[in-house]
Amino acid sequence: AVSFSKKSLVFITGASKGIGQSIAVELSRKINPNSTFVLLARSEGGLRDTQKLIQEVNKSFTVLTYVTDLSRPQLDEYNAIIHKVLGSIDSSGIEFAYIFHNAGYIGTLDKTVELTDLKTWREYYDLNLFSAILLNTAFIKNIRPVAAQLVIVNITSICGSLPFADMSMYGSGK
């Protein structure tokens, strides 16, 4: 069972605004204050804003921010980020490690038969699927020796299980 009372390591993608920022702030109200947050997004300013909001809840949190463009998935970059994180924190006693995959975009809203540009499809899947796969690979490989429990959360919506007109990109990615 998940326990937010235990020392944890929390990764959140798309943490600079919106749902990702909300996840970070709400989790900071519930999670053990000895925990570390690792925030990933493209916006340095947005990451600083989220970091400030977390530390307003409790200054004892370690909050690390990494500006990265998840629309260009790179396993080497993800491994490097996780190695930097583990090299800069006290990882002793971490019982849980979480990763919240929130970064993404809805894609092109058009009829499926009109979505014929392969480059557009590849860009959509690079951000919404392939970056999460590679980040999970790095997370599991590097964090498994540190934390007893790993939890992977993929943020989705009803479109992940029910088809909606003109949302074939989004639905297929979720």
Side-chain angles (χ1 to χ4, degrees):
V2 172
S3 174
F4 293 131
S5 67
K6 308 293 184 184
K7 182 179 178 182
S8 301
L9 179 58
V10 180
F11 289 78
I12 303 171
T13 69
S16 62
K17 63 182 179 179
I19 294 170
Q21 186 177 69
S22 294
I23 290 168
V25 173
E26 290 305 313
L27 208 51
S28 72
R29 293 185 174 119
K30 295 174 176 27
I31 205 158
N32 183 298
N34 295 314
S35 298
T36 298
F37 284 86
V38 180
L39 309 177
L40 306 169
R42 289 181 294 181
S43 168
E44 185 174 355
L47 287 171
R48 280 194 308 267
D49 291 345
T50 305
Q51 179 181 35
K52 181 181 174 190
L53 291 169
I54 291 169
Q55 291 181 321
E56 284 175 2
V57 173
N58 192 328
K59 290 189 186 320
S60 69
F61 286 121
T62 299
V63 183
L64 306 172
T65 62
Y66 293 91
V67 175
T68 186
D69 184 354
L70 295 171
S71 70
R72 302 183 193 288
Q74 295 184 27
L75 183 59
D76 290 343
E77 178 185 4
Y78 304 154
N79 280 320
I81 288 170
I82 293 172
H83 287 199
K84 285 180 194 174
V85 168
L86 294 176
S88 67
I89 65 169
D90 174 10
S91 61
S92 64
I94 292 176
E95 294 191 40
F96 283 88
Y98 303 89
I99 186 164
F100 290 84
H101 292 288
N102 172 66
Y105 79 109
I106 199 166
T108 302
L109 299 176
D110 218 340
K111 294 187 183 336
T112 304
V113 297
E114 294 173 11
L115 295 171
T116 58
D117 181 18
L118 191 54
K119 182 177 183 248
T120 301
W121 278 101
R122 283 188 176 136
E123 289 171 353
Y124 177 82
Y125 281 111
D126 276 349
L127 173 58
N128 290 283
L129 182 62
F130 300 135
S131 68
I133 290 169
L134 293 181
L135 194 49
N136 278 344
T137 299
F139 176 78
I140 293 167
K141 178 183 169 191
N142 295 295
I143 304 298
R144 182 178 280 149
V146 175
Q149 298 288 322
L150 304 181
V151 179
I152 298 170
V153 179
N154 294 311
I155 304 301
T156 190
S157 70
I158 192 73
C159 295
S161 57
L162 294 175
F164 283 77
D166 299 336
M167 294 186 77
S168 60
M169 277 188 144
Y170 184 79
S172 67
K174 294 297 178 182

